[in-house]
Amino acid sequence: MKGILFSPSSNLNCFSKTQTNKTPQSIQTLNQITYPFFSHRNQNQPLLSFSMDSTKNAQTPITQQPPLVVVGSANADIYVEIDRLPKEGETISAKNGRTLAGGKGANQATCGAKLSYPTYFIGRVGDDAHGKLITEALESGGVRSEYLKSLGGGVPTGHAVVMLQSDGQNSIIIVGGANMSCWPEKLSDEDLDVVMKAGIVLLQREIPDSVNIQVAKAARSAGVTVIMDAGGMDAPIPQELLNFVDIFSPNESELGRLTGMPTESFEQISQAAAKCHKMGVKQVLVKLGAKGSALFVEGEEPIKQSIIPAAEVLDTTGAGDTFTASFAVALVEGKSKEECLRFAAAAASLCVQVMGAIPSMPDRKSVLNLLQYV
């Protein structure tokens, strides 16, 4: 997958607009389960949240384990289906086109929620049709969206043009919009509070590094594990951010760009991961596409995971986000590293069989059913 990121002018007039007329969405009831956490886990009191099922019309408060908190981007993905990429100066016709909710942050949040783990999303959208599309998609997926801000002042929702080829591979051009502008210089106490009460925090690089640094610092201060997906802007990652990341998750091309090292063979990937260790990240989770994935923990042997073949590959958009979020859910539930990799591989296999990013996120039952047969 190739991606290009564009950011809008910073001279936009930004202000938050309170979202009204929200209809509570039905989400799967979450049972209270005791999960083992890392030894450095914070012992904060669990957040108060709500559970609904189809037989009840009122929200019932329940006490649940510290949630997955995703801080990141929300995009409207504008799909164009093509046989091949156009050459320079060439105009070609698309076979089809549609607009679906996406963005790495929104994708990962929806994945966590659809896997029946309590998930909050902190992000920004514009007060426009694309913003409403994303908000509705998040809420219908079960994501807690009270930390999603809708911005007025003509700020557009971030969007991406996804050029989807017939073999399921894609190239993407991203317009940052609200994702890259109008974040406050200092995040609110409310945003940082939910971060500090998380089980795991997930970050990506489709929002400003300054926001990620604030979030990662707050999480580390509370003993919360931070997973950083390397996808997004093609620029060096600030060392100040890496200092507060527990698990760094690039794909092989991102790993190569960020380390300046070749990543064509597994030995080369291992050497590049070792460089990440020297940069302060103790665990590197590398997504290898058709070659599977590998987890490199400093001082330990790499753990490899093959792909779980899909019956048919329709769209690889969102597969990496599904993998990372599924790994995070399995990890916060106390599964072993090997089990986390296998769970994530199964979720990614189901994801690529459905068109779109958010629409393709699998539910827990589907993932567990697949794992019974592989």
Side-chain angles (χ1 to χ4, degrees):
M1 182 185 77
K2 297 180 180 178
I4 303 174
L5 174 69
F6 287 95
S7 297
S9 168
S10 61
N11 296 324
L12 294 168
N13 179 22
C14 306
F15 60 89
S16 295
K17 180 174 180 178
T18 302
Q19 298 183 25
T20 58
N21 300 322
K22 287 187 179 178
T23 302
Q25 303 291 326
S26 296
I27 62 175
Q28 183 176 356
T29 300
L30 293 165
N31 297 321
Q32 186 172 354
I33 305 171
T34 301
Y35 299 120
F37 291 95
F38 297 103
S39 59
H40 68 278
R41 276 286 313 128
N42 60 312
Q43 299 300 319
N44 288 323
Q45 294 297 316
L47 296 177
L48 181 67
S49 99
F50 299 89
S51 171
M52 293 185 66
D53 61 39
S54 58
T55 64
K56 297 181 181 180
N57 294 321
Q59 291 183 326
T60 304
I62 63 172
T63 301
Q64 58 191 26
Q65 295 297 323
L68 175 67
V69 175
V70 183
V71 185
S73 60
N75 288 329
D77 289 342
I78 304 167
Y79 281 81
V80 288
E81 297 178 36
I82 55 178
D83 290 321
R84 60 175 177 82
L85 294 174
K87 299 176 182 178
E88 184 175 351
E90 181 184 23
T91 299
I92 62 175
S93 296
K95 295 183 291 185
N96 196 9
R98 68 183 76 180
T99 301
L100 300 170
K104 294 189 71 64
N107 293 345
Q108 293 176 6
T110 304
C111 182
K114 291 186 72 174
L115 291 172
S116 302
Y117 197 83
T119 303
Y120 288 74
F121 178 63
I122 301 175
R124 301 289 187 270
V125 294
D127 180 27
D128 51 26
H130 286 164
K132 293 178 176 64
L133 170 73
I134 292 165
T135 301
E136 291 171 1
L138 286 167
E139 292 177 347
S140 65
V143 178
R144 297 294 300 270
S145 64
E146 52 262 55
Y147 298 92
L148 174 64
K149 299 291 192 303
S150 177
L151 305 173
V155 181
T157 298
H159 52 283
V161 178
V162 182
M163 292 171 283
L164 181 64
Q165 299 178 69
S166 55
D167 61 358
Q169 297 302 310
N170 59 64
S171 297
I172 304 173
I173 301 173
I174 298 172
V175 180
N179 294 315
M180 294 299 294
S181 61
C182 301
W183 288 85
E185 184 176 344
K186 184 181 184 302
L187 291 176
S188 69
D189 290 341
E190 290 79 10
D191 286 347
L192 294 178
D193 184 60
V194 73
V195 165
M196 295 171 71
K197 290 179 178 177
I200 282 182
V201 169
L202 266 177
L203 303 175
Q204 322 81 38
R205 301 201 70 210
E206 290 182 344
I207 61 174
D209 285 330
S210 60
V211 176
N212 281 331
I213 290 170
Q214 289 184 65
V215 172
K217 282 183 175 180
R220 175 63 63 86
S221 72
V224 176
T225 298
V226 176
I227 299 178
M228 176 83 193
D229 190 306
M233 67 181 77
D234 182 12
I237 299 180
Q239 185 61 49
E240 185 180 8
L241 176 54
L242 289 176
N243 290 342
F244 297 98
V245 170
D246 296 289
I247 302 174
F248 181 56
S249 183
N251 60 31
E252 54 191 320
S253 61
E254 291 161 351
L255 179 64
R257 289 200 307 270
L258 293 168
T259 61
M261 300 175 67
T263 55
E264 295 178 4
S265 68
F266 190 80
E267 181 179 355
Q268 290 173 335
I269 291 168
S270 299
Q271 292 171 351
K275 183 172 182 178
C276 291
H277 293 155
K278 293 178 180 178
M279 296 166 69
V281 181
K282 302 303 181 184
Q283 300 185 59
V284 183
L285 176 62
V286 186
K287 301 175 283 275
L288 301 172
K291 293 179 287 186
S293 60
L295 177 63
F296 299 87
V297 180
E298 188 174 32
E300 300 179 13
E301 288 296 314
I303 304 172
K304 297 181 182 179
Q305 171 64 51
S306 300
I307 64 165
I308 295 177
E312 181 182 15
V313 178
L314 292 180
D315 181 12
T316 58
T317 308
D321 295 329
T322 300
F323 183 91
T324 305
S326 301
F327 182 92
V329 168
L331 190 63
V332 79
E333 290 178 345
K335 293 182 173 66
S336 68
K337 296 181 178 70
E338 291 82 0
E339 289 173 318
C340 291
L341 288 169
R342 190 164 177 265
F343 186 80
S349 176
L350 293 169
C351 169
V352 300
Q353 299 180 56
V354 179
M355 182 72 69
I358 283 181
S360 70
M361 302 296 162
D363 58 33
R364 178 179 287 269
K365 182 179 179 180
S366 298
V367 175
L368 295 179
N369 284 345
L370 176 59
L371 286 172
Q372 289 182 343
Y373 297 100
V374 296

